[in-house]
Amino acid sequence: MNRKEKYNTINYVTGFAQCLIRKNALIDLQNETSVAGKIVAVDGFMNVTMENVVYIDQLGKQYLLDNFMIYSKYIRYIHIPKELRYR
């Protein structure tokens, strides 16, 4: 992790997204689609890698995928799992 990634992790929402590693989450994307699955990795720029994914398109059709990578600029919203405790 370079200096910029480390800075982003500490000072931005990136650190919160990294708390979701190994948890199932739903992520809404900018193009009105959604991705649900287990978060495997989040880098310092908030690019997310997921596995065992269900991709849901604009019409609600679902596609099963083994792996999925989301660049941070395409993320609109990350739904926080209810079992995650935060203040």
Side-chain angles (χ1 to χ4, degrees):
M1 185 179 295
N2 65 31
R3 293 176 116 187
K4 185 165 174 87
E5 284 182 283
K6 189 177 270 188
Y7 178 85
N8 290 347
T9 300
I10 295 169
N11 294 300
Y12 295 110
V13 184
T14 305
F16 190 70
Q18 289 176 338
C19 293
L20 298 175
I21 293 175
R22 294 186 304 276
K23 299 206 179 349
N24 288 314
L26 175 66
I27 300 177
D28 294 337
L29 305 179
Q30 294 289 347
N31 64 351
E32 302 297 327
T33 61
S34 298
V35 181
K38 183 177 179 181
I39 296 177
V40 178
V42 179
D43 68 11
F45 299 108
M46 211 166 96
N47 299 316
V48 178
T49 305
M50 301 176 81
E51 65 181 14
N52 300 326
V53 172
V54 177
Y55 177 82
I56 307 162
D57 68 10
Q58 296 95 335
L59 302 174
K61 191 168 181 182
Q62 298 182 1
Y63 304 91
L64 298 175
L65 304 168
D66 291 332
N67 297 306
F68 199 79
M69 171 77 178
I70 308 168
Y71 292 106
S72 61
K73 70 179 186 176
Y74 297 115
I75 296 174
R76 174 175 290 163
Y77 189 80
I78 299 177
H79 297 266
I80 307 302
K82 292 187 187 229
E83 67 269 4
L84 186 68
R85 300 179 67 165
Y86 60 93
R87 299 188 226 182

